[in-house]
């Protein structure tokens, strides 16, 4: 008997175009600064083919922005040696105890701002009856019957859920792939550290760090399945503020 014949086929493409800019200031007068920004678009056809396209006879209907597309991405970081303590502009005459507590500190924020990534719609069940519901995923998309954009989205309704209805039995929906967007991200991490000499050969660094320092909720993605009771709702979020203290010994 003949052994199994395995056939592998790779289809699709992706295209990435971007405007990228970066500003950097080297260490000068106690300040180091770096910022980068990108404005981009990634188009793709084929990234979801492990579950199949919605309509195998119309691949172009699945051409859309990539699920990894992030229109705008901004990151800025800085390190500033505070001008307090011996040898600095302020506190040059401090005694060793005051200088030990208040002198020699540096501060460093990291700011991240992202736009949301695309989200794909699906339909509960398998109205098209294409047999793509239980094993490889449901590729049915709904029909668009209105404007899904909201001027003031909330976690209870991130988009206009009434704008989508399930596709009729034995038909494919007309909603494009990845037409929705998840919430964006605004995050601030902050660190303060102080270096001090213990002996001639041993030094230490005390670090105070705060991740998501403003405790701003990093909202998760809304439910995008038509027919699901949670359709359009956001029920998850990223980590809350996390503060930590660390001590590094150098010898």
């Amino acid at each position: 008997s003949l052994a199994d014949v395995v056939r592998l086929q790779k289809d699709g493409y992706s295209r990435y175009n971007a405007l990228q800019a970066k500003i950097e200031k080297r260490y000068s007068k106690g300040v180091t600064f770096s910022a980068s920004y990108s404005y981009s678009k990634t188009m793709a056809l084929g990234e979801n083919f492990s579950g199949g396209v919605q309509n195998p006879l119309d691949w172009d209907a699945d051409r859309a922005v990539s699920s990894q597309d992030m229109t705008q991405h901004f990151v800025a970081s800085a390190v500033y040696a505070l001008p307090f303590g011996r040898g600095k502009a302020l506190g040059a005459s401090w005694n060793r105890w005051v200088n030990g507590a208040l002198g020699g500190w540096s501060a460093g924020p990291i700011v991240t701002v992202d736009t949301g990534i695309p989200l794909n719609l699906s339909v509960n069940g398998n109205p098209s009856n294409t047999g793509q519901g239980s094993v490889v995923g449901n590729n049915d998309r709904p029909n668009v019957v209105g404007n899904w954009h909201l001027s003031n989205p909330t976690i209870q309704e991130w988009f206009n859920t009434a704008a989508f209805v399930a596709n009729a039995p034995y038909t494919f929906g007309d909603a494009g792939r990845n037409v929705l967007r998840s919430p964006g991200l605004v995050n601030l991490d902050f660190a303060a550290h102080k270096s001090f000499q213990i002996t001639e050969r041993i030094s230490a660094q005390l670090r105070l760090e705060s991740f998501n320092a403003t405790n701003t909720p990093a909202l998760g993605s809304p439910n995008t399945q038509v027919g699901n009771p949670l359709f359009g709702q956001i029920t998850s979020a990223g980590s809350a503020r996390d503060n930590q203290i660390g001590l590094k010994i150098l010898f």
Side-chain angles (χ1 to χ4, degrees), residues 8-236:
L8 298 176
Q9 179 174 328
K10 302 293 184 180
D11 298 297
Y13 63 84
S14 64
R15 295 173 181 169
Y16 174 78
N17 295 281
L19 167 67
Q20 299 177 339
K22 183 176 182 180
I23 300 175
E24 189 173 63
K25 176 180 174 60
R26 299 290 183 178
Y27 192 80
S28 174
K29 296 182 179 179
V31 178
T32 299
F33 175 81
S34 177
S36 60
Y37 170 78
S38 64
Y39 181 81
S40 64
K41 187 172 186 178
T42 305
M43 298 295 296
L45 174 64
E47 62 180 350
N48 290 336
F49 281 10
S50 59
V53 298
Q54 178 183 235
N55 182 359
L57 300 179
D58 185 11
W59 284 23
D60 284 341
D62 277 62
R63 179 181 179 274
V65 290
S66 167
S67 297
Q68 298 177 336
D69 179 72
M70 185 177 291
T71 305
Q72 299 187 70
H73 176 67
F74 173 80
V75 177
S77 62
V79 176
Y80 177 45
L82 301 178
F84 307 117
R86 292 182 179 178
K88 302 293 180 69
L90 302 174
S93 60
W94 285 350
N95 61 48
R96 60 177 298 185
W97 300 108
V98 175
N99 184 70
L102 303 179
W105 285 93
S106 295
I110 301 176
V111 177
T112 304
V113 181
D114 294 331
T115 52
I117 59 176
L119 299 173
N120 192 41
L121 286 156
S122 63
V123 179
N124 188 23
N126 184 220
S128 65
N129 197 35
T130 54
Q132 302 181 102
S134 59
V135 179
V136 295
N138 180 5
N139 299 307
D140 282 13
R141 293 195 295 270
N143 287 316
V144 180
V145 294
N147 181 4
W148 62 82
H149 297 95
L150 292 176
S151 58
N152 187 29
T154 65
I155 60 173
Q156 287 77 29
E157 187 175 21
W158 189 250
F159 52 87
N160 179 18
T161 56
F164 304 104
V165 297
N167 48 317
Y170 312 112
T171 67
F172 297 109
D174 61 12
R177 185 171 66 85
N178 288 348
V179 295
L180 301 177
R181 289 271 175 175
S182 67
L185 172 70
V186 178
N187 184 76
L188 170 65
D189 297 330
F190 185 83
H193 62 269
K194 172 183 170 57
S195 298
F196 51 92
Q197 203 72 30
I198 299 176
T199 68
E200 191 173 310
R201 297 181 54 189
I202 301 176
S203 62
Q205 185 181 79
L206 176 66
R207 298 187 63 89
L208 310 177
E209 299 173 323
S210 180
F211 302 96
N212 187 14
T214 59
N215 205 30
T216 303
L219 297 177
S221 298
N223 184 289
T224 58
Q225 185 183 58
V226 174
N228 190 301
L230 299 177
F231 183 52
Q233 298 181 34
I234 296 176
T235 58
S236 64

